[in-house]
Amino acid sequence: MNLRETLLSIVRELMARPTAPFREEPIRDYVVSFLADRHIDAQVDGMGNVIATYGPDLDVPPLAFTAHMDHPGFLVEKDSRRGSIQARFHGSVEESYFVGASVQFFTESGRVPARVVKTRFEKDRRRKHVWLESEGTVRKGDMGMW
């Protein structure tokens, strides 16, 4: 596998994991496991940041990389009933982007596709409620993303 294929493989694996604000665990777990497989020491601090150290004995200036482990996402508020899902959206996206949008929910039994049918964003935009239709079952706490 050449460098390009290797990098694309890593990116695909990373981006296939569900994430939403304050729900970065699947991404964090992947990153920590990825580093451990390569014998790179990694710690998770009290805020959930991954801090990796490679070659601490090298006589070179330190280098740091930063990246978000989340992006806008959906969190299921109640177990689905008859294909109806009620979720809360976390992130800053205009309400007009939602109706008819496709979403993938990540469940214990696999991915469940859904489609947004209704939204209600409160005036202060802190609470963004979304209703979706699906052919599968999702549970409270499951995550979804576009």
Side-chain angles (χ1 to χ4, degrees):
M1 194 180 310
N2 66 34
L3 179 60
R4 182 178 188 276
E5 291 168 343
T6 299
L7 292 173
L8 285 173
S9 174
I10 293 167
V11 168
R12 284 186 189 108
E13 282 292 317
L14 185 63
M15 295 181 76
R17 274 132 181 94
T19 185
F22 308 109
R23 299 291 193 275
E24 296 95 351
E25 295 87 0
I27 298 288
R28 184 180 307 112
D29 292 348
Y30 175 80
V31 169
V32 169
S33 175
F34 180 91
L35 294 168
D37 290 347
R38 286 150 183 83
H39 309 288
I40 298 172
D41 183 45
Q43 306 295 322
V44 177
D45 72 10
M47 297 299 292
N49 299 301
V50 177
I51 301 170
T53 307
Y54 181 76
D57 298 329
L58 299 176
D59 188 26
V60 296
L63 179 65
F65 296 91
T66 65
H68 283 274
M69 290 187 283
D70 68 347
H71 56 74
F74 301 81
L75 292 175
V76 176
E77 293 185 304
K78 300 177 183 178
D79 291 354
S80 62
R81 294 186 61 183
R82 292 185 221 111
S84 294
I85 300 169
Q86 184 177 338
R88 188 165 165 188
F89 184 76
H90 292 261
S92 295
V93 177
E94 293 298 321
E95 192 169 4
S96 62
Y97 287 100
F98 286 82
V99 176
S102 296
V103 175
Q104 292 281 321
F105 283 94
F106 295 79
T107 71
E108 286 183 11
S109 57
R111 293 184 184 195
V112 174
R115 186 177 62 80
V116 176
V117 294
K118 178 180 156 187
T119 60
R120 188 184 80 231
F121 285 20
E122 294 181 8
K123 288 182 183 181
D124 64 5
R125 298 180 49 84
R126 288 185 180 204
R127 295 188 191 272
K128 301 167 187 153
H129 301 280
V130 182
W131 288 264
L132 307 97
E133 290 179 348
S134 76
E135 294 180 15
T137 302
V138 299
R139 302 273 181 235
K140 180 179 180 176
D142 286 344
M143 284 187 279
M145 55 190 201
W146 280 300

